[in-house]
Amino acid sequence: MEKWFEIRKSGEFIKIGKRFGIDPMAARVMRNRGIESEADAGRYLYGSIQDLDSPAGLDGIDRASDIILEKIRQHKPIRVIGDYDIDGVCATCILVEGLSALGGDVSYDIPERLSDGYGLNVRLVKEAIRDGIDTLITVDNGISALSQIQLAKDAGMTVIVTDHHSQPYREEDGVRLWLKPSADVVIDPNLHDCRYPNKALCGAGVAWKLLYMMEARLQTSKGSLPSPEGCPLTMELLPFAAFATVGDVMDLKGENRILVKTGLRLLEKSDNIGMRALISACGLQGRALSAYHIGFVLGPCINAGGRLETAHEAVALFLSGDAQKTRLLAEHLCSLNQERKELTDRGVVQAMAEAESEPLSSDKVLVIYLPGTHESIAGIIAGKVRERSGKPCFILTDAQEEGLLKGSGRSIAEYSMYDELVGCSDLLEKFGGHPMAAGLSLRAENLEEFRRRLNEACTLTEEDLARKVMLDARLPLSYISEGLVESLKLLEPFGKGNERPLFGEQNLSLLSCRVLGKRRNVLKLAVASGTRRMSAVCFCDADSLLQRLAAKGGEDEVKKLMAGLPNSLRVTAAFYPEVNEYRGNREIQICITNMK
């Protein structure tokens, strides 16, 4: 079920448009994104690296910087422990490359997804002890590794945790008792008492802030910090923080948006030969890069290494100075991503069949067991099932240990997945995450009880579960121009928290239609409203949409549409305008996302 809403926030759109030289409709979109004052609008449109929040607001970052710089001066061996996803890979590269450039004796390690699971584990700690490591620094993990960090401390190691995940806690008599690892320093914007304003900083963002603080400290020990632009190493590695911010699906608001906007510009001319090799292998060389390319083309290749083989390949891609090696690694990661896509497609078909069958079809929280599914793609499948069903979804599959299930969940805004897992923690072997996503493991015999308790405790309403189509405004086709499209481009990068503008129009006439794509997943249309005719494209299950049109207007009318003949079909569409360039020709078209 879908529910359509038009955002109706008021504002002086014409005045703001004149003030900043943009179309008033773009000003309205900004207001819909929470931009109220002229100062906010200026930062949103033209915010620079100098507008970032000071890293000094991250509790513990001063002390961590001092400790690490002293370890570098003493030539103590340092090991960075990352994670196997895009955020962990980028965070690892930032600190390994950065600390090495500052003179550090740095190595790194990353857990293996299948044999180790997420984050710091006993094997990694014991190997660090064996290798004589003096200091462990975790990136994108560590906040939940209480016993593992205690093991490292008992062995005499210095431990610094940099993470962004939710701080673990337990509840006693309705009171949260916060748990914190016994590290020398813990840096995490999501510590319950941390004053840092940006709670959506990713793990690589935290690592980048730490590097910035260290490079700045080398320039000045007191007073205000120099701008990041005055720290060449910090700027060189900023694209990795931007890459991870998009790839880890963090909110593109405030400083995250500035990080990504700046990082994308730097990414296009990156000196990192591994990044250049990846861009080339994905067919993007010489193109202007957007957040879309990170989220849906480049980033999945990095994640594919950690999913199907090892994340060490992705780290090696970015840290290697060998052009031949990086080319081969990039091509291999692209190949792995294609394999991952095929596995995912099969898994989604199986999962949707389960979700639509009894007894799961009446559940508000889906807990789906898919035996034989590669556990590394459980989260991707969960996300796609959530998109299609509108429900929070956990996908579980068999772990390597007999009798153990492992999996991932993806949630909706109205359901805090991490908090709900806390309520079932007695059934779980291990879990972690945040409100919108989580990972977990549990014994097979606890599966049905886990499903039952989640659903019994669920307070989601039918309104919460309805898939929402949020429109920025009604937009007549007659209003659309290249000037509007160019104004809307100033609102990029688009992503979570700064969604692409979406408009709606009623009573659109469908003039013609063609099905494109090997998978019949593209409709190329001509539409009209009043006297304005326009091309349109819709990425969808074409056959399913045509069936819906036939049910609404009749099969004969759909046949006329496919033949380009006059017909009676009229629809309400949600869309965004764009300029389509093909063989030197420019044409305004709308991209339809929803239709009814």
Side-chain angles (χ1 to χ4, degrees), residues 352-414:
M352 286 305 300
E354 290 287 327
E356 292 167 355
S357 64
E358 293 296 334
L360 270 63
S361 61
S362 59
D363 284 356
K364 292 182 177 179
V365 181
L366 295 173
V367 179
I368 301 174
Y369 170 50
L370 295 181
T373 296
H374 200 292
E375 70 178 63
S376 69
I377 60 173
I380 304 176
I381 296 173
K384 291 184 178 294
V385 173
R386 175 202 57 193
E387 289 172 10
R388 297 188 185 188
S389 68
K391 299 177 179 180
C393 178
F394 291 92
I395 297 293
L396 295 158
T397 189
D398 299 298
Q400 290 187 326
E401 181 183 333
E402 187 175 352
L404 188 69
L405 305 182
K406 294 178 72 175
S408 295
R410 297 295 183 268
S411 196
I412 61 176
E414 295 81 2

Side-chain angles (χ1 to χ4, degrees), residues 67-82:
I67 290 173
I68 297 170
L69 289 174
E70 182 60 29
K71 297 292 185 181
I72 291 174
R73 281 190 285 268
Q74 295 175 0
H75 305 290
K76 299 289 186 181
I78 300 169
R79 178 158 295 170
V80 176
I81 303 290

Side-chain angles (χ1 to χ4, degrees), residues 406-460:
K406 294 178 72 175
S408 295
R410 297 295 183 268
S411 196
I412 61 176
E414 295 81 2
Y415 186 82
S416 177
M417 191 160 269
Y418 181 81
D419 288 340
E420 297 302 323
L421 287 181
V422 170
C424 296
S425 59
D426 58 304
L427 297 175
L428 307 177
E429 298 295 304
K430 189 177 181 181
F431 72 96
H434 48 78
M436 294 297 290
L440 70 154
S441 60
L442 78 164
R443 292 289 162 188
E445 59 266 26
N446 290 333
L447 176 61
E448 283 307 309
E449 178 68 6
F450 176 63
R451 171 181 161 255
R452 183 188 68 80
R453 285 195 17 202
L454 282 178
N455 278 281
E456 284 186 354
C458 179
T459 59
L460 291 171

Side-chain angles (χ1 to χ4, degrees), residues 199-277:
K199 303 300 182 182
L201 199 62
C202 70
V206 177
W208 183 78
K209 292 275 183 175
L210 176 59
L211 175 65
Y212 169 32
M213 178 62 80
M214 286 187 286
E215 188 174 13
R217 277 289 179 89
L218 290 174
Q219 295 186 23
T220 175
S221 58
K222 295 181 180 180
S224 60
L225 297 176
S227 165
E229 293 172 314
C231 299
L233 183 59
T234 297
M235 292 302 295
E236 178 186 336
L237 294 170
L238 185 150
F240 288 99
F243 200 91
T245 300
V246 176
D248 212 36
V249 199
M250 308 308 294
D251 283 347
L252 296 188
K253 297 179 179 179
E255 75 167 350
N256 276 4
R257 192 165 172 279
I258 294 172
L259 275 173
V260 172
K261 195 171 183 178
T262 307
L264 282 169
R265 289 199 300 266
L266 297 175
L267 192 64
E268 292 173 4
K269 51 187 179 182
S270 173
D271 290 331
N272 186 282
I273 61 172
M275 187 66 79
R276 292 206 307 269

